[in-house]
Amino acid sequence: MKHVLVFDVNETLLDMSALDPHFQRVFGDASVRVEWFQTMLQSAFLTTITGPYKPFGDHFRAALAITALRRDLRVSPEDERAILAGVRTLPAHPDVRPALERLRGAGFRLAALTNSTAEVEEAQLRSADLADLFEKALSADTGKRLKPAPEAYANAARELGVPNKEIRMVAAHVWDVQGAMRAGCAAAFVERPGAVWNPLLDRPDIVEPDIGAIAEQVIAIDR
């Protein structure tokens, strides 16, 4: 079955290490960027599970404040704006555009699905020169249920006019792949550096180190 391919955006398509100079300047340690991102995800998951709903940008800002407080620091409004502006202009990983073009050429429908707001997502995809490759840029924010909640994937399927089982979610996050699979979608896990599968979970049928290798597997399996 030729699935509709739905791609996560941050870290999967876009290289968040481009934010490292900001974290080096503000915190004196570029690696704090990883802690901030994980703190942001924890905040988003907490309110997705327990409520009330908060937009993803609120979690970005809260996580930045939390990360600073752990170090007895305060992030200035100017630095906060610089970091959040940097999120909108992240570059694509080098493997991304050639792989997406290959998939488009093979007849696959492509969409993006992020927890960020539609406004941020559209800015990101334009800045990374990827917007023209996607049929739709979808945001879980529209349905007020962030990934990995099952509603996020169901809403994406509805927007694309297909049942959940005809979607293949492609992501570099275990939680996103697992969420999609639990919602009845197929999935592919991108094992980017530091992305390690959880042995307690069933693995998807496609696991590769980059989007190029994912594309070749998708073409072989889903054509």
Side-chain angles (χ1 to χ4, degrees):
M1 175 173 55
K2 186 170 281 191
H3 293 94
V4 179
L5 304 177
V6 179
F7 291 82
D8 173 55
V9 177
N10 293 312
E11 293 194 315
T12 301
L13 299 179
L14 305 184
D15 185 0
M16 295 197 71
S17 70
L19 297 175
D20 287 357
H22 293 296
F23 284 85
Q24 180 65 46
R25 184 187 72 255
V26 175
F27 294 95
D29 182 355
S31 69
V32 173
R33 187 255 310 170
V34 176
E35 179 187 337
W36 161 72
F37 191 69
Q38 293 301 318
T39 301
M40 181 271 299
L41 291 177
Q42 182 184 61
S43 176
F45 295 164
L46 176 61
T47 60
T48 295
I49 294 168
T50 66
Y53 178 76
K54 299 290 184 182
F56 210 48
D58 289 2
H59 298 292
F60 269 58
R61 285 183 283 272
L64 197 57
I66 292 167
T67 304
L69 284 170
R70 288 176 181 146
R71 291 161 175 78
D72 199 24
L73 296 174
R74 180 181 175 275
V75 178
S76 71
E78 294 77 17
D79 283 330
E80 179 185 282
R81 284 194 293 270
I83 293 169
L84 296 176
V87 170
R88 291 174 176 247
T89 57
L90 294 169
H93 289 288
D95 57 296
V96 170
R97 186 169 181 94
L100 296 182
E101 290 175 341
R102 173 100 166 88
L103 290 165
R104 279 275 297 264
F108 285 88
R109 296 172 63 191
L110 309 183
L113 174 61
T114 182
N115 280 339
S116 300
T117 64
E119 178 191 4
V120 170
E121 179 183 27
E122 288 164 9
Q124 287 181 314
L125 295 179
R126 283 197 307 270
S127 177
D129 191 28
L130 299 176
D132 61 305
L133 297 173
F134 293 108
E135 173 184 328
K136 286 182 180 289
L138 304 170
S139 169
D141 175 71
T142 303
K144 309 305 181 193
R145 290 289 287 164
L146 300 180
K147 299 182 294 177
E151 295 89 346
Y153 308 98
N155 289 339
R158 191 176 305 110
E159 287 283 332
L160 293 164
V162 296
N164 289 21
K165 66 181 181 180
E166 292 185 17
I167 279 180
R168 183 184 288 278
M169 187 75 210
V170 182
H173 302 120
V174 173
W175 53 266
D176 203 351
V177 170
Q178 178 71 359
M181 292 171 66
R182 290 299 183 192
C185 306
F189 179 52
V190 190
E191 280 188 314
R192 293 210 181 276
V196 179
W197 191 255
N198 184 333
L200 298 177
L201 307 176
D202 293 333
R203 287 166 66 90
D205 60 339
I206 297 178
V207 178
E208 294 291 347
D210 57 52
I211 301 290
I214 293 282
E216 294 308 314
Q217 285 293 314
V218 165
I219 290 168
I221 292 172
D222 285 358
R223 63 184 174 188

